[in-house]
Amino acid sequence: MNSCSLLSKVIVVGGGIFGVSSAVHLARLGVETILVNDGPLANGASGRSLAWLNSSRQRSDEYHRLRMAGIDRYRTLAAKHPDAAWLRFDGGLTWDADDTANEIAAVFRYERNIGYDAQLLSSGEIAAVAPGVDEHSVTPQGAIFNPGEGWVDLPSLIEILSQEFVQRGGRLVTNAGLAKVTVADGRATGVTTASGVAVKADAVLLATGASVPSTIAEFGHFVPDNTPIALLVRTQPMHLPLRTVLNTPRVAIRPTPTGALVLDSAWSEEEVIAQPGGIYTVNDSTVARLLEEASKVLKGNPKLELDTYFVGPKPIPGDGEPVFGQLDDIAGYYIAFSHSGATLGLIAGELLAGEIATGELNPLLTTFRPGRFD
């Protein structure tokens, strides 16, 4: 146990990957930590994530560096669990539509220039590195194969991390309803649970996904929010040869530990119907078309059967970059709000826990602090 902490107690609100990862890292640092979630663990965006581990295509240098550190932590984890079915590094394959917006050649040059492992392949070269793909579905401009990419089953990872958290003395409180952060004299003082119980703490981390912007707005803080309502479809297990993550013009596909596939797309998000009261519905035709689009890019065009689907907010900040760190004018009030929760999950938890426990700012998070919007 590390005794470097300057705090006696921290409350983490949110049972997704950011919350659970931060909580276990705090516990590793010897900080008394309580993790509070409104329902069961992974009941939000982490439970319906494609969970593709990558830093592909173009983004800011700082964001790329953080994502690569995130992938590095997963590789360390994979070395500890070499036979894990829930964490795989079998690469990612992406191609664009056959139109004037196709950026594959430019993306390949960019990735190669920054040292990101990338191979530009013609359709005939794909079977050798990505079995299970219908080569005829690849557009003439070719596809990029990124051998260093992978995927994680976040609910499985969250379960493993939460077990360690409890073993290290962390207190896990699930199905607690909405917990509100309490603030007095310019600093976070704890939370009040849905039942009205006040729990004191030296610091609070708010990691509640899409609700973070509206929650901190109550204290006068603004974080731009571009959160869509996402649809993730899971097929029945078929044990197909596909091992890579596919990011194609009409569908993204990831294998799962059970032999099923999970699917999402940008166009299907636009067809989700929002009802009053935060209820979302999806037409059967949307799900059927997503299954069809997935079949088209798989070798042999197998008929995919629906197992279930998940729908809900997918946290994305307005500028597309992560928001991590302490609110400028409320000491001890930290937030985590970002897209790419899977890729960033381990590294974000590690860095946030370090800052909370010691008060020392990590330079990897400099450009991602919430104060940039003030």
Side-chain angles (χ1 to χ4, degrees), residues 30-367:
V31 180
E32 181 184 352
T33 306
I34 303 173
L35 175 63
V36 180
N37 198 46
D38 56 353
L41 297 179
N43 65 328
S46 291
R48 51 178 185 270
S49 170
L50 189 71
W52 170 27
L53 306 177
N54 77 93
S55 189
S56 65
R57 304 191 85 102
Q58 195 164 352
R59 52 183 50 84
S60 71
D61 291 343
E62 294 84 0
Y63 194 11
H64 174 69
R65 190 177 304 117
L66 186 64
R67 292 171 73 105
M68 293 302 292
I71 294 171
D72 172 77
R73 296 306 189 270
Y74 277 104
R75 290 199 172 278
T76 301
L77 185 65
K80 295 179 180 178
H81 301 272
D83 300 320
W86 45 267
L87 175 60
R88 302 295 306 169
F89 281 99
D90 296 311
L93 185 72
T94 182
W95 66 89
D96 290 353
D98 183 15
D99 56 29
T100 56
N102 189 295
E103 298 178 332
I104 286 297
V107 168
F108 171 67
R109 287 194 298 271
Y110 173 79
E111 292 183 351
R112 181 184 58 189
N113 288 342
I114 63 171
Y116 192 66
D117 198 356
Q119 304 168 15
L120 182 60
L121 306 177
S122 66
S123 59
E125 297 173 307
I126 287 172
V129 297
V133 177
D134 184 347
E135 63 184 46
H136 302 292
S137 65
V138 179
T139 48
Q141 296 87 347
I144 296 173
F145 179 64
N146 301 112
E149 295 179 354
W151 59 267
V152 62
D153 184 73
L154 282 179
S156 298
L157 174 58
I158 286 171
E159 175 63 22
I160 290 168
L161 294 178
S162 66
Q163 289 175 3
E164 180 188 346
F165 173 67
V166 172
Q167 290 168 357
R168 289 181 176 272
R171 181 182 169 195
L172 181 61
V173 182
T174 56
N175 301 302
L178 179 65
K180 293 188 176 182
V181 181
T182 55
V183 174
D185 299 324
R187 70 170 301 112
T189 58
V191 304
T192 301
T193 67
S195 61
V197 177
V199 184
K200 299 292 186 179
D202 300 306
V204 177
L205 169 63
L206 184 70
T208 53
S211 70
V212 168
S214 61
T215 301
I216 64 173
E218 298 174 7
F219 294 95
H221 285 267
F222 171 71
V223 170
D225 185 10
N226 197 30
T227 295
I229 306 304
L231 169 67
L232 187 81
V233 168
R234 186 173 67 206
T235 73
Q236 293 183 8
M238 291 191 66
H239 300 287
L240 299 171
L242 183 71
R243 296 292 177 267
T244 57
V245 180
L246 302 184
N247 186 25
T248 81
R250 294 286 294 173
V251 65
I253 306 176
R254 166 176 70 78
T256 72
T258 65
L261 304 174
V262 291
L263 324 171
D264 75 3
S265 71
W267 63 264
S268 61
E269 291 179 358
E270 299 173 357
E271 296 187 7
V272 174
I273 303 165
Q275 307 282 5
I279 298 172
Y280 309 105
T281 58
V282 180
N283 290 326
D284 291 344
S285 59
T286 300
V287 175
R289 285 191 3 249
L290 196 57
L291 291 167
E292 291 170 2
E293 294 291 353
S295 175
K296 290 177 183 177
V297 302
L298 297 174
K299 189 173 183 63
N301 307 127
K303 181 173 177 53
L304 303 177
E305 299 288 349
L306 174 68
D307 176 26
T308 189
Y309 66 82
F310 309 88
V311 62
K314 178 168 67 177
I316 300 180
D319 64 357
E321 301 256 308
V323 187
F324 294 136
Q326 183 174 237
L327 298 179
D328 280 348
D329 62 349
I330 307 179
Y333 194 155
Y334 295 80
I335 66 171
F337 175 59
S338 182
H339 186 35
S340 303
T343 301
L344 300 180
L346 296 180
I347 190 64
E350 175 187 328
L351 299 182
L352 284 167
E355 291 198 349
I356 294 169
T358 68
E360 297 179 5
L361 301 183
N362 192 292
L364 279 175
L365 299 184
T366 297
T367 62

